[in-house]
Amino acid sequence: MNLLDNLGIEVSDQGKTRVVLKMKIEDKHMQPHKIMHGGISAVLAETAASMGANLNIDEDGYVAVGVDIMTHHLNPVKEGVLVTEATPVRVGNSIQTWTVTTHLEGHAISTSLSTVTLKKVALKTV
């Protein structure tokens, strides 16, 4: 099981200029005070940014991996369905930066700036 499956994150839309994720808040997303753990916002942001960045890679054997994320928590969340939208600020040859906003019923609950780098990976043969 991967992180998206484990947290219940669904891909609503994905392309080179926009990625949208959705996630219904569940007990497993909560901190002890019964509000959503702030790390969930960061996970959604980096996931959306990385997905978009990977769609912008033209060269085989490279993947986008996060190097920096800054997340601002704007409002606490207790229940509902989150919608996360990522759009690129800059798509370069080795670094990409994406801005990400997570909403609950039209109100922003967090905003993030995520930077990813492109890394060459060895492709495993089976």
Side-chain angles (χ1 to χ4, degrees):
M1 176 177 282
N2 67 32
L3 182 67
L4 274 69
D5 293 336
N6 190 31
L7 293 177
I9 299 170
E10 299 175 11
V11 180
S12 179
D13 187 26
Q14 62 179 326
K16 290 184 172 190
T17 60
R18 182 172 174 259
V19 173
V20 179
L21 305 177
K22 291 185 179 180
M23 187 192 80
K24 182 180 185 305
I25 298 169
E26 300 176 32
D27 285 342
K28 63 184 170 185
H29 304 124
M30 304 303 228
Q31 48 127 298
H33 303 290
K34 300 298 180 193
I35 58 175
M36 186 186 78
H37 191 286
I40 297 294
S41 294
V43 165
L44 288 165
E46 187 166 332
T47 299
S50 293
M51 290 175 80
N54 277 301
L55 292 171
N56 281 287
I57 297 174
D58 294 329
E59 199 168 337
D60 288 338
Y62 282 82
V63 296
V65 295
V67 293
D68 184 62
I69 186 163
M70 179 177 52
T71 299
H72 297 280
H73 305 290
L74 306 174
N75 289 296
V77 177
K78 293 184 176 185
E79 60 184 16
V81 176
L82 300 177
V83 177
T84 299
E85 182 174 355
T87 57
V89 175
R90 182 177 186 279
V91 175
N93 292 328
S94 61
I95 297 265
Q96 295 185 34
T97 302
W98 289 68
T99 186
V100 187
T101 304
T102 297
H103 297 270
L104 177 69
E105 299 172 358
H107 299 285
I109 63 125
S110 69
T111 184
S112 301
L113 190 65
S114 180
T115 301
V116 299
T117 187
L118 310 184
K119 292 285 186 182
K120 182 130 178 103
V121 293
L123 299 176
K124 294 182 180 181
T125 57
V126 178

Short mmCIF file of all heavy atoms in Angstrom, two decimals, residues 7-13 19-26 29-30 35-45 48 71 73-85 100-111:
data_model
loop_
_atom_site.label_atom_id
_atom_site.label_comp_id
_atom_site.label_asym_id
_atom_site.label_seq_id
_atom_site.Cartn_x
_atom_site.Cartn_y
_atom_site.Cartn_z
N LEU A 7 -3.67 7.10 3.07
CA LEU A 7 -4.31 8.31 3.59
C LEU A 7 -5.65 8.61 2.91
O LEU A 7 -6.35 9.52 3.32
CB LEU A 7 -3.37 9.51 3.45
CG LEU A 7 -2.12 9.47 4.32
CD1 LEU A 7 -1.23 10.67 4.06
CD2 LEU A 7 -2.49 9.38 5.79
N GLY A 8 -5.98 7.87 1.85
CA GLY A 8 -7.25 8.11 1.16
C GLY A 8 -7.21 9.30 0.22
O GLY A 8 -8.22 9.96 0.00
N ILE A 9 -6.05 9.58 -0.34
CA ILE A 9 -5.89 10.70 -1.26
C ILE A 9 -6.25 10.26 -2.67
O ILE A 9 -5.73 9.26 -3.16
CB ILE A 9 -4.44 11.24 -1.23
CG1 ILE A 9 -4.08 11.73 0.17
CG2 ILE A 9 -4.25 12.35 -2.27
CD1 ILE A 9 -2.61 12.05 0.36
N GLU A 10 -7.14 11.00 -3.31
CA GLU A 10 -7.58 10.69 -4.67
C GLU A 10 -7.08 11.77 -5.63
O GLU A 10 -7.09 12.95 -5.30
CB GLU A 10 -9.10 10.63 -4.74
CG GLU A 10 -9.72 9.58 -3.86
CD GLU A 10 -11.23 9.63 -3.87
OE1 GLU A 10 -11.82 10.35 -4.71
OE2 GLU A 10 -11.84 8.97 -3.01
N VAL A 11 -6.66 11.35 -6.82
CA VAL A 11 -6.24 12.29 -7.86
C VAL A 11 -7.48 12.66 -8.65
O VAL A 11 -8.10 11.82 -9.29
CB VAL A 11 -5.18 11.66 -8.78
CG1 VAL A 11 -4.76 12.65 -9.85
CG2 VAL A 11 -3.98 11.18 -7.97
N SER A 12 -7.84 13.93 -8.60
CA SER A 12 -9.03 14.42 -9.29
C SER A 12 -8.69 14.91 -10.70
O SER A 12 -9.46 14.73 -11.63
CB SER A 12 -9.66 15.55 -8.48
OG SER A 12 -10.79 16.06 -9.12
N ASP A 13 -7.51 15.53 -10.84
CA ASP A 13 -7.08 16.06 -12.13
C ASP A 13 -5.56 16.18 -12.08
O ASP A 13 -4.99 16.52 -11.05
CB ASP A 13 -7.71 17.44 -12.38
CG ASP A 13 -7.43 17.99 -13.76
OD1 ASP A 13 -7.20 17.20 -14.70
OD2 ASP A 13 -7.44 19.22 -13.93
N VAL A 19 -2.52 20.24 -10.85
CA VAL A 19 -2.83 18.96 -10.23
C VAL A 19 -3.84 19.22 -9.12
O VAL A 19 -3.67 20.15 -8.32
CB VAL A 19 -1.57 18.28 -9.65
CG1 VAL A 19 -1.93 17.03 -8.86
CG2 VAL A 19 -0.59 17.93 -10.77
N VAL A 20 -4.89 18.41 -9.07
CA VAL A 20 -5.91 18.54 -8.04
C VAL A 20 -6.07 17.20 -7.33
O VAL A 20 -6.25 16.16 -7.97
CB VAL A 20 -7.27 18.98 -8.64
CG1 VAL A 20 -8.33 19.07 -7.54
CG2 VAL A 20 -7.14 20.31 -9.37
N LEU A 21 -5.98 17.24 -6.00
CA LEU A 21 -6.16 16.07 -5.16
C LEU A 21 -7.35 16.30 -4.24
O LEU A 21 -7.65 17.44 -3.88
CB LEU A 21 -4.92 15.82 -4.29
CG LEU A 21 -3.58 15.69 -5.00
CD1 LEU A 21 -2.46 15.53 -3.97
CD2 LEU A 21 -3.60 14.52 -5.97
N LYS A 22 -8.00 15.20 -3.84
CA LYS A 22 -9.10 15.28 -2.87
C LYS A 22 -8.86 14.25 -1.78
O LYS A 22 -8.34 13.17 -2.04
CB LYS A 22 -10.45 15.03 -3.54
CG LYS A 22 -10.86 16.14 -4.48
CD LYS A 22 -12.25 15.92 -5.03
CE LYS A 22 -12.60 17.08 -5.95
NZ LYS A 22 -13.94 16.92 -6.52
N MET A 23 -9.29 14.61 -0.55
CA MET A 23 -9.15 13.69 0.56
C MET A 23 -10.23 13.97 1.59
O MET A 23 -10.38 15.11 2.05
CB MET A 23 -7.78 13.84 1.22
CG MET A 23 -7.51 12.80 2.29
SD MET A 23 -6.07 13.21 3.29
CE MET A 23 -6.80 14.41 4.40
N LYS A 24 -10.98 12.94 1.92
CA LYS A 24 -11.98 13.05 2.99
C LYS A 24 -11.26 12.89 4.33
O LYS A 24 -10.50 11.94 4.52
CB LYS A 24 -13.05 11.97 2.84
CG LYS A 24 -14.15 12.05 3.88
CD LYS A 24 -15.17 10.95 3.68
CE LYS A 24 -16.35 11.06 4.60
NZ LYS A 24 -16.07 11.14 6.00
N ILE A 25 -11.50 13.81 5.23
CA ILE A 25 -10.85 13.77 6.54
C ILE A 25 -11.43 12.62 7.36
O ILE A 25 -12.65 12.47 7.47
CB ILE A 25 -11.01 15.12 7.26
CG1 ILE A 25 -10.33 16.21 6.45
CG2 ILE A 25 -10.43 15.05 8.67
CD1 ILE A 25 -10.63 17.60 6.91
N GLU A 26 -10.52 11.82 7.93
CA GLU A 26 -10.90 10.68 8.75
C GLU A 26 -10.16 10.75 10.08
O GLU A 26 -9.25 11.58 10.25
CB GLU A 26 -10.54 9.38 8.01
CG GLU A 26 -11.24 9.22 6.68
CD GLU A 26 -10.79 7.98 5.93
OE1 GLU A 26 -10.44 6.98 6.59
OE2 GLU A 26 -10.77 8.01 4.69
N HIS A 29 -6.34 11.04 10.28
CA HIS A 29 -5.70 12.30 9.92
C HIS A 29 -5.62 13.27 11.09
O HIS A 29 -5.05 14.35 10.96
CB HIS A 29 -6.46 12.98 8.78
CG HIS A 29 -6.62 12.12 7.58
ND1 HIS A 29 -7.84 11.83 7.04
CD2 HIS A 29 -5.71 11.46 6.81
CE1 HIS A 29 -7.69 11.05 5.98
NE2 HIS A 29 -6.40 10.80 5.83
N MET A 30 -6.21 12.91 12.23
CA MET A 30 -6.34 13.83 13.35
C MET A 30 -5.17 13.76 14.33
O MET A 30 -4.54 12.73 14.49
CB MET A 30 -7.62 13.51 14.13
CG MET A 30 -8.87 13.55 13.27
SD MET A 30 -9.06 15.13 12.46
CE MET A 30 -10.75 15.45 12.83
N ILE A 35 -8.29 17.87 15.78
CA ILE A 35 -8.20 18.67 14.55
C ILE A 35 -7.17 17.99 13.65
O ILE A 35 -6.32 17.24 14.13
CB ILE A 35 -7.84 20.15 14.81
CG1 ILE A 35 -6.51 20.29 15.54
CG2 ILE A 35 -8.95 20.86 15.55
CD1 ILE A 35 -6.06 21.73 15.71
N MET A 36 -7.29 18.25 12.35
CA MET A 36 -6.40 17.58 11.40
C MET A 36 -4.94 17.94 11.68
O MET A 36 -4.62 19.10 11.95
CB MET A 36 -6.76 17.99 9.97
CG MET A 36 -5.98 17.22 8.92
SD MET A 36 -6.30 17.83 7.25
CE MET A 36 -5.29 19.32 7.25
N HIS A 37 -4.10 16.94 11.64
CA HIS A 37 -2.65 17.13 11.82
C HIS A 37 -2.12 17.99 10.68
O HIS A 37 -2.43 17.76 9.51
CB HIS A 37 -1.95 15.76 11.84
CG HIS A 37 -0.54 15.84 12.28
ND1 HIS A 37 0.46 16.34 11.49
CD2 HIS A 37 0.05 15.48 13.45
CE1 HIS A 37 1.60 16.29 12.13
NE2 HIS A 37 1.38 15.77 13.33
N GLY A 38 -1.31 18.98 11.00
CA GLY A 38 -0.76 19.89 10.00
C GLY A 38 0.11 19.21 8.96
O GLY A 38 0.23 19.68 7.83
N GLY A 39 0.68 18.07 9.32
CA GLY A 39 1.50 17.33 8.37
C GLY A 39 0.71 16.84 7.17
O GLY A 39 1.27 16.65 6.08
N ILE A 40 -0.59 16.68 7.34
CA ILE A 40 -1.43 16.25 6.21
C ILE A 40 -1.41 17.31 5.12
O ILE A 40 -1.32 16.99 3.92
CB ILE A 40 -2.88 15.97 6.69
CG1 ILE A 40 -2.90 14.81 7.68
CG2 ILE A 40 -3.81 15.73 5.51
CD1 ILE A 40 -2.49 13.47 7.12
N SER A 41 -1.47 18.58 5.50
CA SER A 41 -1.40 19.66 4.50
C SER A 41 -0.09 19.61 3.72
O SER A 41 -0.08 19.80 2.50
CB SER A 41 -1.56 21.03 5.17
OG SER A 41 -2.83 21.17 5.71
N ALA A 42 1.00 19.35 4.43
CA ALA A 42 2.30 19.27 3.77
C ALA A 42 2.37 18.06 2.85
O ALA A 42 2.93 18.14 1.74
CB ALA A 42 3.41 19.22 4.81
N VAL A 43 1.82 16.93 3.29
CA VAL A 43 1.81 15.73 2.44
C VAL A 43 1.02 15.99 1.16
O VAL A 43 1.46 15.65 0.06
CB VAL A 43 1.21 14.52 3.20
CG1 VAL A 43 0.85 13.39 2.25
CG2 VAL A 43 2.19 14.03 4.25
N LEU A 44 -0.15 16.60 1.31
CA LEU A 44 -0.96 16.90 0.12
C LEU A 44 -0.22 17.84 -0.83
O LEU A 44 -0.20 17.64 -2.04
CB LEU A 44 -2.30 17.52 0.54
CG LEU A 44 -3.29 16.56 1.18
CD1 LEU A 44 -4.41 17.34 1.88
CD2 LEU A 44 -3.86 15.61 0.14
N ALA A 45 0.43 18.86 -0.26
CA ALA A 45 1.14 19.84 -1.09
C ALA A 45 2.31 19.21 -1.84
O ALA A 45 2.46 19.39 -3.05
CB ALA A 45 1.63 21.00 -0.22
N ALA A 48 1.06 16.73 -4.59
CA ALA A 48 0.52 17.40 -5.78
C ALA A 48 1.63 18.04 -6.60
O ALA A 48 1.67 17.91 -7.83
CB ALA A 48 -0.52 18.45 -5.37
N THR A 71 4.90 25.39 4.40
CA THR A 71 3.45 25.33 4.51
C THR A 71 2.97 26.27 5.60
O THR A 71 3.51 26.27 6.71
CB THR A 71 2.99 23.89 4.83
OG1 THR A 71 3.40 23.03 3.75
CG2 THR A 71 1.49 23.81 4.99
N HIS A 73 -0.32 27.17 7.78
CA HIS A 73 -1.63 26.69 8.20
C HIS A 73 -2.51 27.91 8.47
O HIS A 73 -2.18 28.74 9.32
CB HIS A 73 -1.49 25.81 9.45
CG HIS A 73 -0.54 24.68 9.26
ND1 HIS A 73 -0.82 23.62 8.43
CD2 HIS A 73 0.69 24.46 9.75
CE1 HIS A 73 0.19 22.77 8.44
NE2 HIS A 73 1.12 23.27 9.23
N LEU A 74 -3.61 28.00 7.76
CA LEU A 74 -4.47 29.18 7.84
C LEU A 74 -5.70 28.98 8.72
O LEU A 74 -6.15 29.91 9.38
CB LEU A 74 -4.91 29.59 6.43
CG LEU A 74 -3.77 29.80 5.44
CD1 LEU A 74 -4.33 30.05 4.05
CD2 LEU A 74 -2.88 30.94 5.88
N ASN A 75 -6.26 27.78 8.71
CA ASN A 75 -7.46 27.49 9.49
C ASN A 75 -7.44 26.03 9.94
O ASN A 75 -7.02 25.15 9.19
CB ASN A 75 -8.72 27.72 8.65
CG ASN A 75 -8.98 29.19 8.40
OD1 ASN A 75 -9.22 29.94 9.32
ND2 ASN A 75 -8.91 29.60 7.14
N PRO A 76 -7.92 25.75 11.16
CA PRO A 76 -8.00 24.37 11.60
C PRO A 76 -9.15 23.63 10.90
O PRO A 76 -10.11 24.26 10.46
CB PRO A 76 -8.27 24.48 13.10
CG PRO A 76 -8.95 25.81 13.25
CD PRO A 76 -8.38 26.69 12.17
N VAL A 77 -9.01 22.32 10.82
CA VAL A 77 -10.01 21.50 10.15
C VAL A 77 -10.38 20.33 11.05
O VAL A 77 -9.50 19.69 11.63
CB VAL A 77 -9.45 20.96 8.81
CG1 VAL A 77 -10.45 20.06 8.13
CG2 VAL A 77 -9.05 22.09 7.90
N LYS A 78 -11.69 20.05 11.13
CA LYS A 78 -12.17 18.92 11.93
C LYS A 78 -12.86 17.86 11.10
O LYS A 78 -12.88 16.70 11.46
CB LYS A 78 -13.11 19.42 13.02
CG LYS A 78 -12.42 20.28 14.05
CD LYS A 78 -13.36 20.67 15.15
CE LYS A 78 -12.59 21.45 16.20
NZ LYS A 78 -13.40 21.76 17.36
N GLU A 79 -13.45 18.26 9.97
CA GLU A 79 -14.17 17.30 9.13
C GLU A 79 -14.36 17.90 7.74
O GLU A 79 -14.17 19.09 7.53
CB GLU A 79 -15.52 16.94 9.74
CG GLU A 79 -16.43 18.13 9.92
CD GLU A 79 -17.73 17.78 10.63
OE1 GLU A 79 -17.81 16.72 11.24
OE2 GLU A 79 -18.66 18.58 10.54
N GLY A 80 -14.74 17.02 6.80
CA GLY A 80 -15.04 17.48 5.45
C GLY A 80 -14.12 16.84 4.41
O GLY A 80 -13.36 15.91 4.70
N VAL A 81 -14.21 17.38 3.20
CA VAL A 81 -13.39 16.91 2.09
C VAL A 81 -12.46 18.03 1.67
O VAL A 81 -12.92 19.13 1.33
CB VAL A 81 -14.27 16.46 0.89
CG1 VAL A 81 -13.39 16.06 -0.29
CG2 VAL A 81 -15.18 15.31 1.30
N LEU A 82 -11.17 17.76 1.71
CA LEU A 82 -10.17 18.74 1.29
C LEU A 82 -9.94 18.66 -0.21
O LEU A 82 -9.96 17.57 -0.78
CB LEU A 82 -8.84 18.48 2.00
CG LEU A 82 -8.84 18.55 3.51
CD1 LEU A 82 -7.46 18.21 4.05
CD2 LEU A 82 -9.26 19.92 3.99
N VAL A 83 -9.72 19.81 -0.82
CA VAL A 83 -9.33 19.88 -2.23
C VAL A 83 -8.01 20.64 -2.28
O VAL A 83 -7.92 21.76 -1.80
CB VAL A 83 -10.40 20.60 -3.08
CG1 VAL A 83 -9.94 20.73 -4.53
CG2 VAL A 83 -11.74 19.88 -2.99
N THR A 84 -7.01 20.00 -2.85
CA THR A 84 -5.67 20.58 -2.96
C THR A 84 -5.38 20.85 -4.43
O THR A 84 -5.54 19.97 -5.27
CB THR A 84 -4.62 19.61 -2.38
OG1 THR A 84 -4.91 19.40 -1.00
CG2 THR A 84 -3.21 20.15 -2.55
N GLU A 85 -4.94 22.08 -4.73
CA GLU A 85 -4.62 22.45 -6.11
C GLU A 85 -3.20 22.99 -6.19
O GLU A 85 -2.83 23.90 -5.44
CB GLU A 85 -5.60 23.50 -6.63
CG GLU A 85 -5.34 23.87 -8.07
CD GLU A 85 -6.38 24.82 -8.64
OE1 GLU A 85 -7.37 25.13 -7.95
OE2 GLU A 85 -6.18 25.26 -9.78
N VAL A 100 0.83 25.71 -3.89
CA VAL A 100 -0.24 24.76 -3.59
C VAL A 100 -1.17 25.37 -2.54
O VAL A 100 -0.70 25.88 -1.52
CB VAL A 100 0.34 23.43 -3.05
CG1 VAL A 100 -0.77 22.40 -2.89
CG2 VAL A 100 1.46 22.90 -3.93
N THR A 101 -2.47 25.28 -2.79
CA THR A 101 -3.47 25.72 -1.82
C THR A 101 -4.42 24.58 -1.54
O THR A 101 -4.88 23.91 -2.47
CB THR A 101 -4.25 26.95 -2.32
OG1 THR A 101 -3.32 27.99 -2.64
CG2 THR A 101 -5.21 27.46 -1.27
N THR A 102 -4.70 24.35 -0.27
CA THR A 102 -5.67 23.35 0.13
C THR A 102 -6.90 24.06 0.69
O THR A 102 -6.78 24.96 1.54
CB THR A 102 -5.08 22.38 1.16
OG1 THR A 102 -3.99 21.68 0.54
CG2 THR A 102 -6.11 21.36 1.63
N HIS A 103 -8.06 23.65 0.17
CA HIS A 103 -9.33 24.29 0.53
C HIS A 103 -10.26 23.29 1.21
O HIS A 103 -10.20 22.09 0.94
CB HIS A 103 -10.06 24.78 -0.73
CG HIS A 103 -9.32 25.82 -1.49
ND1 HIS A 103 -9.48 27.16 -1.25
CD2 HIS A 103 -8.41 25.74 -2.49
CE1 HIS A 103 -8.71 27.85 -2.08
NE2 HIS A 103 -8.04 27.00 -2.83
N LEU A 104 -11.15 23.82 2.01
CA LEU A 104 -12.26 23.07 2.58
C LEU A 104 -13.50 23.91 2.34
O LEU A 104 -13.60 25.02 2.87
CB LEU A 104 -12.07 22.82 4.07
CG LEU A 104 -13.21 22.11 4.79
CD1 LEU A 104 -13.30 20.66 4.33
CD2 LEU A 104 -13.04 22.18 6.28
N GLU A 105 -14.40 23.41 1.49
CA GLU A 105 -15.64 24.12 1.17
C GLU A 105 -15.39 25.56 0.74
O GLU A 105 -16.06 26.49 1.18
CB GLU A 105 -16.60 24.05 2.36
CG GLU A 105 -16.99 22.64 2.73
CD GLU A 105 -17.76 22.55 4.03
OE1 GLU A 105 -17.99 23.59 4.70
OE2 GLU A 105 -18.14 21.43 4.39
N GLY A 106 -14.39 25.76 -0.10
CA GLY A 106 -14.10 27.07 -0.66
C GLY A 106 -13.26 27.98 0.21
O GLY A 106 -12.93 29.10 -0.19
N HIS A 107 -12.88 27.54 1.41
CA HIS A 107 -12.05 28.35 2.31
C HIS A 107 -10.66 27.74 2.39
O HIS A 107 -10.53 26.54 2.67
CB HIS A 107 -12.67 28.42 3.71
CG HIS A 107 -14.02 29.04 3.73
ND1 HIS A 107 -14.24 30.38 3.60
CD2 HIS A 107 -15.25 28.47 3.84
CE1 HIS A 107 -15.52 30.63 3.64
NE2 HIS A 107 -16.17 29.49 3.77
N ALA A 108 -9.64 28.55 2.18
CA ALA A 108 -8.27 28.05 2.24
C ALA A 108 -7.93 27.64 3.66
O ALA A 108 -8.19 28.38 4.60
CB ALA A 108 -7.30 29.10 1.74
N ILE A 109 -7.37 26.45 3.81
CA ILE A 109 -6.90 26.01 5.12
C ILE A 109 -5.37 25.98 5.19
O ILE A 109 -4.80 26.01 6.27
CB ILE A 109 -7.49 24.64 5.52
CG1 ILE A 109 -7.06 23.53 4.57
CG2 ILE A 109 -8.99 24.71 5.63
CD1 ILE A 109 -6.42 22.40 5.28
N SER A 110 -4.72 25.94 4.03
CA SER A 110 -3.26 26.02 4.01
C SER A 110 -2.78 26.46 2.63
O SER A 110 -3.47 26.26 1.63
CB SER A 110 -2.60 24.68 4.38
OG SER A 110 -2.80 23.73 3.37
N THR A 111 -1.61 27.05 2.64
CA THR A 111 -0.94 27.39 1.38
C THR A 111 0.52 26.96 1.52
O THR A 111 1.10 27.08 2.60
CB THR A 111 -1.07 28.89 1.05
OG1 THR A 111 -0.49 29.14 -0.23
CG2 THR A 111 -0.44 29.76 2.09
#
